[in-house]
Amino acid sequence: MILNIEKTVIETGTTGIWKWRKYSDNTVEFFGKIPLYSTDIAQTFSGWYRGETLFEPTEYPYPFIMTEAPALNMMFQTRNGLGALLWAFSQDAETAQRYVPQCYLIRPTSATGVSGNINIIGRGKI
């Protein structure tokens, strides 16, 4: 048996870096962008290189407090041709319900002046 449960958007808005949609079942989707300017990736790390943490643990709160850590799709998009992978690292459960996880940029070669955006799509329950 297939259940056909329709969700209705009941609210939309903008909060901080986020654009978001709230649905009738208390699911929220949110979309954000964190700009990065002139980041150095020079610390050796298991045959790769990484930079410093990109922001403070509580710098980017979600638009809502989630009932559990939301599902996130996070990607670094370079603006100056110096690409890197984004490594998000774990936090305690309470922080993960409220804030974007801290991140490093990692690359196989060192680089200075890496600039771009962290693009984020999230989905969770409130």
Side-chain angles (χ1 to χ4, degrees):
M1 180 171 134
I2 298 175
L3 297 175
N4 185 9
I5 300 172
E6 289 196 30
K7 294 187 292 185
T8 304
V9 175
I10 59 171
E11 196 175 347
T12 62
T14 302
T15 304
I17 66 165
W18 307 106
K19 292 183 181 178
W20 51 266
R21 292 188 288 246
K22 182 177 174 183
Y23 292 90
S24 56
D25 68 347
N26 284 334
T27 300
V28 292
E29 292 177 320
F30 47 96
F31 313 88
K33 184 184 297 186
I34 299 172
L36 302 176
Y37 303 98
S38 197
T39 301
D40 294 337
I41 304 173
Q43 295 181 30
T44 58
F45 177 74
S46 298
W48 283 61
Y49 294 86
R50 75 164 176 85
E52 297 293 326
T53 52
L54 298 174
F55 43 83
E56 295 299 315
T58 58
E59 190 168 349
Y60 293 104
Y62 296 129
F64 301 93
I65 297 172
M66 307 294 164
T67 58
E68 60 184 37
L72 297 175
N73 181 350
M74 298 174 63
M75 180 186 80
F76 175 68
Q77 179 182 26
T78 185
R79 281 193 300 268
N80 62 353
L82 296 171
L85 298 174
L86 186 68
W87 178 22
F89 56 94
S90 62
Q91 305 172 59
D92 64 81
E94 185 178 331
T95 303
Q97 291 172 249
R98 297 171 179 256
Y99 302 97
V100 173
Q102 287 186 288
C103 301
Y104 295 123
L105 291 179
I106 61 174
R107 301 172 39 95
T109 58
S110 64
T112 58
V114 176
S115 295
N117 297 311
I118 299 173
N119 297 314
I120 305 167
I121 300 172
R123 183 180 181 89
K125 286 275 194 175
I126 57 171

